[in-house]
Amino acid sequence: MLTRNGTQHDTRDDTRDDIRYDLYEELARQLAGIGAVKRDLARTLPADCPPGAAAVLTVLDRHGEMRLSRLAELLAVDISVTSRHVAHVADRGWIVRESDPGDGRCRILRLTPAGRTVLLELGARYSAALESTLADWSAEDITVLTTLLARLRSSF
């Protein structure tokens, strides 16, 4: 097909672009739905461990001891929000805040054995909820989903 300026234009490219756009639009809808999944999973948390507290424990477990500013960066939330979450878990003895030997004005956050115990409970609750919800899924489907979600996450 000729365009207005007289050059050749393959309309199949437009169709492919439309299909690709539709796929991205549907992916965006499905990713928005992940929020609902996360909210349902959050309902499995113990009453004294809201999602923000669970996130603090998880990040400290995964990355080790760190300053509040680094934790806020890894959580991708404001430092004031992070500070509230840290106070919550520290009040329960799940983390300790110790002076930073390199800068006495700062604190180093460290997971305690009690915090590790809470993490084990959280992991068991999440796993049980997923197992119950996905009971009719094959192991292959769960593996594919896990692989694709990991791939998506690594793309950002």
Side-chain angles (χ1 to χ4, degrees):
M1 165 182 186
L2 289 177
T3 62
R4 287 186 193 159
N5 65 8
T7 60
Q8 288 288 333
H9 178 75
D10 188 346
T11 57
R12 290 177 297 183
D13 288 341
D14 290 339
T15 303
R16 280 191 293 264
D17 288 346
D18 289 344
I19 291 170
R20 207 165 160 83
Y21 180 82
D22 290 345
L23 287 172
Y24 288 130
E25 200 171 59
E26 179 58 23
L27 177 59
R29 274 194 293 277
Q30 293 303 323
L31 288 174
I34 295 288
V37 171
K38 287 177 66 176
R39 283 188 296 280
D40 283 349
L41 284 172
R43 290 185 184 102
T44 69
L45 295 172
D48 63 342
C49 188
V56 167
L57 297 175
T58 301
V59 169
L60 287 174
D61 183 56
R62 194 169 291 150
H63 297 279
E65 63 184 45
M66 66 186 70
R67 289 181 176 179
L68 180 68
S69 57
R70 176 70 176 137
L71 180 61
E73 180 183 309
L74 290 171
L75 292 173
V77 296
D78 186 76
I79 199 158
S80 64
V81 173
T82 305
S83 184
R84 285 192 297 274
H85 294 320
V86 164
H88 181 89
V89 296
D91 289 348
R92 283 155 182 76
W94 299 339
I95 68 165
V96 291
R97 295 178 277 196
E98 299 172 341
S99 291
D100 183 343
D103 183 349
R105 299 169 297 170
C106 295
R107 300 273 185 206
I108 297 292
L109 309 174
R110 183 177 293 116
L111 199 59
T112 64
R116 289 189 197 289
T117 300
V118 170
L119 271 174
L120 289 173
E121 180 186 351
L122 298 180
R125 286 173 178 244
Y126 266 55
S127 293
L130 287 168
E131 183 179 17
S132 172
T133 303
L134 304 178
D136 60 340
W137 286 42
S138 71
E140 182 181 340
D141 284 347
I142 295 168
T143 300
V144 168
L145 176 63
T146 302
T147 301
L148 291 174
L149 286 173
R151 183 176 172 193
L152 176 66
R153 208 170 141 207
S154 70
S155 295
F156 283 89

